[in-house]
Every structure is written in structure tokens, then in C-alpha cells.
Amino acid sequence: MANKAQDNERLTVVIFGASGDLTHRKLAPALFHLYKTGALPQICHFVGVARSEMDDASFRESLYTGVEEAEIGKYGEWAEFASRISYIQGSSTDAESLQRIDSAVSAASTDSARDDRIYYLALAPHLYAPTLTALGAAGMLDQANGFRRVVIEKPFGTDLASAQKLNETVHSVLQESQVFRIDHYLGKETVQNLLVFRFANTIFEPVWNRNYVDHVQISVLESVDTAGRGEYYDEAGVLRDMMQSHLLQLLALVAMEPPATSTANALRNEKAKVLQSVRKYNIDQAAENSVRGQYQGYRDEEGVAESSGTATFGAIRLQVDNWRWQGVPFYLRSGKALQSKVSEIAIQFRPPPHTIFETHGPDVTPNLLRIAIQPHEGVHLTFENKKPGTRMGTAPETLEYHFPPQVIRDSYERLLLDAIEGDQSLFTRSDEIEVSWEIIDPFVNGWHNSLKSQLYAYGKGTRGPKAADEFLGPVRKWHDDREDEG
Ligand code: BG6
């Protein structure tokens, strides 16, 4: 529920890096929709900061394109919202620019009891640390007359050492309670539904463990290629771009123990704990427990090195060394330029220990629970049923629930509102980030340095390298959209 502010409370959202794609495609539409639905404090202002030369009018106009595409509201409604947006040309690391921003925000707040601020770092990651230091030095993180919260986009570091260093900088100017490290997957309706599904029902939790589960698959497959982000992507690759953040967060939600309460810390304690239980490989073990691929034509893209060895597809096998999951492999798979966009978690249950139906066809199909994160958000449970007829035969059938499409809002909306309300549940804590890098770093290094890791080529628009099927096989197979098409 939106927590309405008092009449004399004032919120300012300052977006650093406001001329970029994220502001246009995600932040402006999300803030506009929140405003339109009355979720924001009555007195709210938005300040875009970037180096480009623009005035308020041209900045507002440039933002309207994203809002129009998202089909959120009429131009009249937008114009009312847009009158609250201003633009300041400057740099997030420059003391003089910050002083101008600070004065502008403070000057507009003289009529308010509080001057609450969110600083959103929609910046190139190398600017996070210098920006935080500069904000601290300018006194702009001081919370004497209102909260100061900082939203930091991913990637948070490029490995364990850089993430630790960034966390040190963060903690030198901010308390952890002021920090909102965003992972937009946590804002997705279906990802939050994982918590409800697991902890608001009684029938799943008793079988959610090594006694019943054969393995877990977490797939985030994309049909888009690097979409003009070749330079960033060539440094990141699928491990840093997707696995370290989105896929490991999904794993944490699937595998964690029930939190003691629904508070942010209780939830984050459990996520951190299960990530700590994930086995840390050496580089050879990481290479043996993974398959990597690169789509054909990737090296011709702008910003990509001619002989790039960056993986655009990866499948990795993790083990969670705790009482609940010992011996149950977790397969994480993600890639670009694949045949379709599917994000899904599949819980593959074990077959029955003994079947009495063997004279009537092949073995029974083990139960399967598929949580469709996107598209067609919902839950599918496959179970055996009697094949109608005079004989005793079995066949799998699926029960499905799908969220009505109109209830699915963009995840940035939920996350921005949570940051405004100070709820950190869906943001990653420093320890979660660091342990995620501990898990991923050996894969990054193994893919570069171990002779056991080969880079497989795959065609654009395919299911990725065949080696990924062999990696899972011969008995197990990936559950993805092919079955829906059949
Ligand atoms: C981003 C990655 O974090 O997530 C992108 O940087 C990726 O490369 C995107 O395309 C996927 O998000 P979604 O919500 O479209 O599945």
C-alpha cells in the first residue's frame, strides 16, 4: 500500500545519468504511473542530471517518448506530472555541479518540514564510487532534515574484490539502511509470488527438499542480442550481466529457509545464508560444471572485440551444501539471441519410488512445477492422471494459473515505491552481493583460464549450444517453451 506522506513532506528524486536509456525506458514511465495513481507524496519533484546540454522543456519532451511507448496516460496527465521535472546540466562527481543541485533542491523545499531525497545512480558503474564520495563530501547524504537514500543499479562490482571495495566506499558515506542496490528481477510480480507460493501455502513446503526434488532449473532466456550495448556486454558477458545478479537472486528465493518474519532483514538474512551454502568451486570445477556459448555474428557487433571470447550463453550447475538441498543440483541457464524470451523456474520432482503401472506403457512422468516469471506469468503443475479408457494407463496433465496480463506492472514501479517508502526487502544487501561474486568469480576465471572450458558457437534464434543439452542429459532435459509450442 502506498504510504501517503504528510502535506508538508516533500520528496525529490534526483536521477544522475538522466539522459540515458534507463531513465527514458524505465524510470520516467514508472514515476509517472506512480504519480498518476496517487502513490507519491503530494509535494514531489524530479531532477534529471546529466552532462548533455538540455533545458527543462527539451528534457521533459525527451522523456515523453518512453512514457508514450509504455502507454501509461494521456498527454494532459503527463504535462501535469512533467511540470514537476527539471533538468540540471552537470556531473555527479563535480563539487560545483553538486552544489548547484543541492541549492536548487533546498531552495524549493523551504515551505516543507522535511526535505526527503532519493538519489538514483543511473550512471556508468565506474562512476558509482566517485559519485558517492562526492555526494558525501558535499554534505548531501546528511539526514538532518529528511532521508537521503541512494539507489544503485547493477552491476555492483565486476568481481568479489571490486564489489568489496565499492561496498567500503558505500559504507564510508552511508548507512546500509540508506542503500538500495537494485536488482529489477526482485520487482517482478512473479518473483515476489515465489514467497507467497512457498510460505502462504502448506502443500509445497513439505516436499521442497532433497527427499522429493530431483533438481531445479532456473532459466532466463532472451531473444534480444546485445541491442547496441556491445561495449558493456563484451566486458560483462552472461555471468556478470545475468548470473551474478538475477539468476542467483532467483536461486536464493527458491532455496532459502522460511524467514522468521516478513521484514527486510529477516528475508535478506535467509537469502544471504543460502547463498553462503552454495558450494564455491575452484576454476577447474567451475569449468567442469558449466557450458558456455557465443552466438554467431556477435564479434561483428559494435563495441565487441574481433576475437572476443565473451560468452553470450551460459549454463552452470551449482550445489547447495545444506540439510535441505544436499545432492540436488541447481542448473542456471541464460543467454542472448535465443529462439524466444522465457524466464522460468522448474522444480523437477523425483519419480515415484516404485510404480505399479509398468505393464501399461513407459514409466510415469515425475511431477514438475514450473513457475513462469515471464512471459505468461503464472504457475504450472504437472501430475499423472489416468488415461481415460478401459485400460489402466497414465498420462501427464498440467494445472495452470496465469496472472491476468493487466495486473503486471513494470518492476521499476514497485522498486521505486519501496525505495521511497524505505522498504529494503527487494534490494540486495552488501553480504548477498559479495557472496554472489564468490560463487561466480570461479566461473569467470575458469572460462578464461581452464583448458576444460570450450566456447561453443550457436546460431542466432536457436536454443543455444547443443552442448548445453548434453550437459544436463542424458536423463534430464531442459524444460522451456518448446513444450508449450507442441
Ligand atoms: C538486465 C541485463 O539486467 O536484464 C540485460 O543487463 C537483460 O542484458 C535484462 O537484457 C533482462 O531483463 P528482463 O526484465 O527483460 O528479463
Side-chain angles (χ1 to χ4, degrees):
M1 269 291 281
N3 173 15
K4 286 289 193 73
Q6 301 300 311
D7 282 354
N8 63 350
E9 286 183 4
R10 173 196 168 86
L11 170 76
T12 309
V13 180
V14 180
I15 303 175
F16 291 106
S19 58
D21 196 43
L22 181 73
T23 309
H24 289 78
R25 274 192 319 115
K26 298 289 185 184
L27 305 183
L31 287 168
F32 175 37
H33 194 254
L34 287 172
Y35 176 77
K36 228 187 88 169
T37 49
L40 299 183
Q42 272 185 351
I43 317 177
C44 55
H45 285 93
F46 311 93
V47 179
V49 180
R51 286 169 182 273
S52 327
E53 206 177 304
M54 264 187 288
D55 59 13
D56 290 352
S58 50
F59 180 57
R60 291 171 187 168
E61 210 44 50
S62 77
L63 294 181
Y64 185 61
T65 337
V67 167
E68 206 175 14
E69 265 169 34
E71 295 180 5
I72 296 167
K74 301 195 184 80
Y75 189 78
E77 294 169 309
W78 162 257
E80 189 201 318
F81 170 74
S83 66
R84 294 160 181 273
I85 303 177
S86 48
Y87 180 78
I88 298 179
Q89 186 184 1
S91 150
S92 62
T93 57
D94 164 47
E96 185 274 325
S97 302
L98 291 181
Q99 206 190 349
R100 272 190 294 126
I101 297 162
D102 195 32
S103 309
V105 176
S106 306
S109 325
T110 46
D111 55 342
S112 315
R114 287 172 65 89
D115 165 22
D116 293 331
R117 299 185 195 177
I118 303 264
Y119 300 118
Y120 200 112
L121 309 193
L123 293 162
H126 71 271
L127 292 173
Y128 296 161
T131 298
L132 290 168
T133 308
L135 281 169
M140 289 170 73
L141 301 173
D142 181 54
Q143 304 202 86
N145 64 342
F147 67 67
R148 300 288 183 270
R149 299 184 185 137
V150 180
V151 182
I152 307 178
E153 268 293 330
K154 65 164 268 282
F156 194 94
T158 52
D159 57 12
L160 176 61
S162 58
Q164 281 171 331
K165 199 156 171 247
L166 184 52
N167 271 331
E168 267 169 39
T169 307
V170 165
H171 293 142
S172 69
V173 290
L174 293 162
Q175 292 157 26
E176 184 64 31
S177 59
Q178 295 172 268
V179 189
F180 292 73
R181 297 176 194 78
I182 210 161
D183 181 320
H184 78 277
Y185 262 65
L186 296 179
K188 291 187 192 280
E189 198 72 55
T190 33
V191 174
Q192 290 157 46
N193 190 43
L194 265 171
L195 295 173
V196 177
F197 189 79
R198 286 193 59 195
F199 305 128
N201 294 299
T202 50
I203 60 171
F204 301 109
E205 209 46 30
V207 297
W208 209 262
N209 56 50
R210 65 193 300 275
N211 299 325
Y212 291 92
V213 176
D214 176 78
H215 72 279
V216 176
Q217 297 178 13
I218 301 176
S219 301
V220 179
L221 313 177
E222 296 189 273
S223 49
V224 291
D225 56 20
T226 61
R229 295 157 74 219
E231 200 178 327
Y232 152 76
Y233 195 87
D234 209 34
E235 287 293 315
V238 67
L239 288 172
R240 291 182 171 126
D241 186 47
M242 300 295 287
M243 295 272 187
Q244 183 271 340
S245 47
H246 309 323
L247 280 91
L248 281 183
Q249 283 295 315
L250 294 178
L251 179 146
L253 291 173
V254 171
M256 71 182 190
E257 294 302 314
T261 63
S262 65
T263 60
N265 259 346
L267 185 67
R268 301 198 297 177
N269 286 346
E270 294 306 334
K271 284 200 288 156
K273 194 169 99 189
V274 76
L275 290 170
Q276 279 150 12
S277 303
V278 172
R279 193 175 303 167
K280 313 298 179 303
Y281 294 131
N282 63 34
I283 61 168
D284 280 343
Q285 289 167 331
E288 279 160 10
N289 282 288
S290 61
V291 164
R292 62 185 178 127
Q294 187 186 74
Y295 62 82
Q296 284 153 349
Y298 169 73
R299 293 176 191 180
D300 303 331
E301 286 178 16
E302 205 184 320
V304 173
E306 265 172 42
S307 58
S308 171
T310 298
T312 59
F313 175 97
I316 69 177
R317 176 171 41 228
L318 297 176
Q319 301 287 344
V320 181
D321 288 330
N322 64 15
W323 279 52
R324 188 189 280 262
W325 296 115
Q326 187 58 51
V328 178
F330 282 71
Y331 293 94
L332 275 52
R333 178 179 55 145
S334 184
K336 290 213 180 274
L338 298 170
Q339 100 186 340
S340 44
K341 180 174 173 79
V342 189
S343 301
E344 187 175 289
I345 297 168
I347 314 286
Q348 176 68 71
F349 291 93
R350 291 183 188 282
H354 169 68
T355 169
I356 56 171
F357 301 113
E358 66 272 15
T359 53
H360 300 283
D363 285 347
V364 295
T365 312
N367 298 122
L368 175 68
L369 176 68
R370 291 165 60 191
I371 297 165
I373 294 165
Q374 61 189 22
H376 314 307
E377 291 81 356
V379 180
H380 307 204
L381 178 64
T382 304
F383 56 92
E384 284 293 278
N385 224 20
K386 181 184 174 300
K387 240 189 216 164
T390 48
R391 293 191 171 267
M392 182 54 89
T394 67
E397 298 294 345
T398 301
L399 270 180
E400 294 188 17
Y401 165 75
H402 289 278
F403 283 87
Q406 62 275 19
V407 305
I408 305 289
R409 299 292 325 152
D410 190 84
S411 51
Y412 275 90
E413 220 173 279
R414 165 73 198 254
L415 294 172
L416 277 163
L417 188 59
D418 282 358
I420 290 165
E421 293 180 351
D423 182 350
Q424 293 180 302
S425 313
L426 301 177
F427 295 84
T428 31
R429 210 169 53 187
S430 54
D431 52 347
E432 289 177 71
I433 294 268
E434 291 180 15
V435 69
S436 299
W437 282 119
E438 261 182 77
I439 297 166
I440 292 302
D441 279 355
F443 289 97
V444 175
N445 297 328
W447 286 6
H448 284 132
N449 304 325
S450 172
L451 296 175
K452 295 174 185 166
S453 177
Q454 186 180 336
L455 182 65
Y456 293 96
Y458 63 96
K460 269 184 142 180
T462 66
R463 294 186 54 249
K466 288 226 162 34
D469 295 336
E470 288 149 24
F471 172 65
L472 197 71
V475 178
R476 293 169 178 155
K477 66 181 183 101
W478 295 109
H479 298 293
D480 54 40
D481 58 335
R482 281 166 307 143
E483 291 157 25
D484 289 341
E485 287 166 2

